[in-house]
Each structure stands twice: as structure tokens, then as C-alpha cells.
């Protein structure tokens, strides 16, 4: 006769099996139901107090909120002068430390700091240093702090931006109309070579593009010489900057004697202004979003070399 377990012998076995099943379900539920660390975005720009420049910032803000649904999006301006001016107007915007503190208050554990600079010049270097300093002062506050690179880092970035700019200015340009772009630049030369690289990419695609900077090595006179050599008689001027702020409205398209528009007209060139920042140019903000998503540069950890 086969051996069978008695009624009393089954009880401990059934209990053990039920207990193991319960523990297994509990462990599975915890693993699958555990929420991922909350992510947040810190958008960092130099800042502007020009009301007409705000559409660019609003467009960038909307682009990031669409790309990171549910994630807090906080802004920081690096210019103390602009922050003070806005605070006096009752429109305060904090600095980098303020923004990181707000994200921590919001329960964020993974921060993506995205530079809104066009090129990695002096302002971007200061931004990196400020974020690193804040991270070192508040160890363990965040699990990760990723740093997104500026808009133009690679040849692909430049080609993508140029396509966006050309599409946005197409209706204003005729067959022989040149596009004149004003970059910011920096008096000490930072980003000069990067700017030249961008210019080379742009020029290889469209020979009727001419560029110069407000403060960099490639200046207005260099650009005007190029326009005269190409016998250009009509240009569309536009800022190669995130916003169409003070530089765009005064240095580029203003009525002053030293503005680019005035000097171009004196040179016998017809001028039309396209006062639209890159932030509000369709397709341009997508580059910044991509850089934020692709960044693996975690400032809370030592750099790793392959």
C-alpha cells in the first residue's frame, strides 16, 4: 500500500508552502512596484529682462515639459544683475543654488542640469563650477546630477540647427538674399574656435550665410568685407542667440549709428530683421532636449574613462 501523508502531516507542509508563496509575492511586488527615483530639470540661462525675449524661454520651457512629463522644470539665471532687476520688478528668478534647492524640496533625486548656452564658452565653464560647488556642499542630496552640454557641440548639432534656422527664415529670404547671424562671443577668445567650426559647417551648406560676434575674434568688419566680396545687396539679419534680447534689438537691429543694421545700410545693403531667438525657432530647442537626455556626465561621481 503506498505511503500517504496524514491530515496532520499535511498542515505544516501547506503552511510552509503558503508562507513561501506569500514571501515570493511580497518580494516581486516590491521589486516591480518600486518607484524610480524622481527626476527633475534645471534649465540654466544667462537671463534676460527684455519682455520681448520671453517667448524664447517660454518655448524652451514647453519643449522640456513635453519631453519630461511629470518632472519639475525649474529655471535659474546666472546673471546677478538681471536677477536683481527682475526681483525689483516683482518677477524673481533664482540662481543655480536656488534652483537645486527647489528641486530637492520637490523630492527630486535625479537632476538634469541643462545649459541653454549656444557654445561652451566662459559662461558654461562658470555654470559647471557653480553646480559642482553646490553638489560638494550638499553631499548625498541627489543620487545623480547630470550636466547637459550647450546647444552646439558637434557637426551634427550645427547641421540640425542650420536646418531649423533656414526653414524659419525661408520666407524672408529671396534667391540672392544673404543671412547674417550675430553670435555673442567673448573678449578673451573662449569659443572663438568653436564659432569658426560652426561657421564652416553653415557655410559649406549655404554660401550666402555670413556670421560675426559682438565680442569675439570674428567681428562686424570681417563680416562686412565678406558681404562686399560676395557683392551682396540684400540681407536678413538674425541673432544666433537663445533669445532676441538687448544685443538683438540694439546692437544688431537698433537705430544707433554703430548697430549692424545701420552700418549695413550705410554700405548700400538692404536690411530686413528677423528678431527671433533660437529658443523660439522650431526644432532648435529639440537639440537641447536631446543633450539633456543623452548626458551621462554625473557630477556626483568621479569621471570614468573607458
Amino acid at each position: 500500500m503506498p505511503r500517504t501523508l496524514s491530515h496532520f502531516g499535511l498542515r505544516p507542509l501547506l503552511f510552509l508552502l503558503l508562507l513561501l508563496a506569500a514571501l515570493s509575492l511580497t518580494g516581486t511586488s516590491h521589486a516591480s512596484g518600486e518607484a524610480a527615483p524622481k527626476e527633475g530639470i534645471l534649465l540654466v540661462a544667462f537671463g534676460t529682462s527684455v519682455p520681448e525675449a520671453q517667448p524664447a524661454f517660454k518655448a524652451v520651457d514647453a519643449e522640456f515639459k513635453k519631453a519630461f512629463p511629470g518632472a519639475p522644470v525649474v529655471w535659474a539665471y546666472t546673471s546677478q544683475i538681471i536677477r536683481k532687476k527682475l526681483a525689483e520688478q516683482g518677477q524673481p528668478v533664482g540662481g543655480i543654488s536656488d534652483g537645486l534647492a527647489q528641486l530637492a524640496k520637490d523630492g527630486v533625486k535625479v537632476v538634469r542640469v541643462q545649459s541653454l548656452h549656444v557654445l561652451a564658452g566662459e559662461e558654461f565653464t562658470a555654470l559647471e563650477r557653480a553646480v559642482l560647488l553646490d553638489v560638494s556642499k550638499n553631499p548625498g542630496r541627489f543620487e545623480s546630477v547630470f550636466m547637459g552640454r550647450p546647444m552646439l557641440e558637434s557637426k551634427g548639432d550645427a547641421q540640425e540647427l542650420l536646418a531649423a534656422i533656414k526653414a524659419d527664415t525661408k520666407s524672408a529670404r529671396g534667391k540672392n538674399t544673404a543671412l547674417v547671424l550675430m553670435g555673442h562671443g567673448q573678449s578673451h577668445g573662449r569659443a572663438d574656435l568653436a564659432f569658426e567650426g560652426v561657421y564652416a559647417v553653415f557655410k559649406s551648406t549655404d554660401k550666402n550665410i555670413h556670421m560675426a560676434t559682438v565680442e569675439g575674434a570674428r567681428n562686424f568688419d570681417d563680416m562686412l568685407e565678406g558681404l562686399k566680396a560676395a557683392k551682396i545687396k540684400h540681407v536678413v539679419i538674425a541673432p544666433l542667440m537663445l533669445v532676441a534680447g538687448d544685443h538683438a534689438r540694439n546692437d544688431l537691429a537698433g537705430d544707433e549709428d554703430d548697430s549692424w543694421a545701420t552700418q549695413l545700410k550705410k554700405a548700400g545693403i538692404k536690411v530686413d530683421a528677423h528678431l527671433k531667438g533660437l529658443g523660439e525657432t522650431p526644432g532648435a530647442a529639440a537639440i537641447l532636449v536631446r543633450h539633456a537626455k543623452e548626458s551621462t556626465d554625473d557630477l556626483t561621481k568621479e569621471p570614468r574613462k573607458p
Side-chain angles (χ1 to χ4, degrees):
M1 183 175 181
R3 296 178 64 184
T4 59
L5 287 171
S6 68
H7 176 69
F8 292 103
L10 281 170
R11 279 185 174 180
L13 181 60
L14 287 172
F15 176 77
L16 180 61
L17 290 172
L18 289 170
L19 179 61
L20 288 172
L23 289 173
S24 175
L25 287 172
T26 301
T28 303
S29 175
H30 178 72
S32 63
E34 186 176 355
K38 187 175 180 181
E39 194 169 73
I41 311 297
L42 181 64
L43 299 178
V44 184
F46 180 80
T48 181
S49 59
V50 179
E52 293 84 359
Q54 286 302 318
F57 282 167
K58 290 179 180 178
V60 171
D61 188 76
E63 192 84 12
F64 271 85
K65 286 176 178 175
K66 179 182 176 181
F68 296 91
V73 176
V74 175
W75 282 75
Y77 287 175
T78 56
S79 171
Q80 294 182 13
I81 294 174
I82 290 176
R83 293 204 309 268
K84 181 180 179 181
K85 187 173 181 178
L86 290 174
E88 291 172 350
Q89 295 173 356
Q91 302 172 342
V93 178
I96 291 169
S97 294
D98 299 319
L100 290 171
Q102 181 59 54
L103 288 172
K105 186 178 179 180
D106 291 340
V108 166
K109 291 301 179 183
V110 175
V111 177
R112 294 193 176 276
V113 179
Q114 182 54 48
S115 158
L116 300 185
H117 302 100
V118 177
L119 294 170
E122 184 179 34
E123 289 293 326
F124 179 74
T125 301
L127 158 60
E128 280 189 305
R129 190 164 64 244
V131 174
L132 278 169
L133 181 61
D134 192 89
V135 168
S136 67
K137 286 182 176 180
N138 300 279
R141 182 162 69 171
F142 301 113
E143 293 180 17
S144 296
V145 178
F146 295 104
M147 175 62 69
R149 302 294 297 177
M151 184 177 286
L152 297 179
E153 287 279 293
S154 67
K155 183 177 181 180
D157 292 340
Q159 291 172 330
E160 188 175 343
L161 179 62
L162 177 59
I165 292 172
K166 289 187 69 174
D168 201 47
T169 58
K170 184 178 180 179
S171 62
R173 293 179 66 190
K175 183 179 179 181
N176 297 315
T177 302
L179 179 62
V180 168
L181 298 174
M182 172 189 270
H184 192 283
Q186 201 266 335
S187 58
H188 294 161
R190 288 189 176 181
D192 274 351
L193 290 180
F195 186 83
E196 290 298 319
V198 172
Y199 185 33
V201 173
F202 282 16
K203 199 76 172 175
S204 68
T205 303
D206 187 337
K207 64 181 179 62
N208 276 339
I209 287 183
H210 297 260
M211 295 165 54
T213 57
V214 181
E215 297 181 11
R218 182 173 287 277
N219 59 34
F220 175 83
D221 291 336
D222 298 324
M223 185 196 64
L224 182 59
E225 184 179 336
L227 290 171
K228 288 180 177 178
K231 299 181 179 178
I232 298 296
K233 297 299 180 183
H234 184 196
V235 300
V236 172
I237 57 176
L240 189 69
M241 304 176 188
L242 189 74
V243 301
D246 182 65
H247 284 304
R249 296 177 187 281
N250 295 309
D251 300 322
L252 178 63
D255 296 327
E256 295 82 0
D257 290 341
D258 60 349
S259 77
W260 287 18
T262 299
Q263 294 181 75
L264 287 168
K265 290 173 185 176
K266 285 181 178 178
I269 299 173
K270 180 183 176 182
V271 177
D272 290 320
H274 184 77
L275 294 182
K276 197 172 181 180
L278 297 178
E280 54 184 318
T281 300
I287 302 172
L288 297 169
V289 168
R290 175 166 53 80
H291 285 187
K293 287 185 173 181
E294 291 177 352
S295 176
T296 58
D297 184 14
D298 187 351
L299 299 186
T300 68
K301 299 175 177 62
E302 290 288 335
R304 291 186 179 183
K305 297 291 182 182

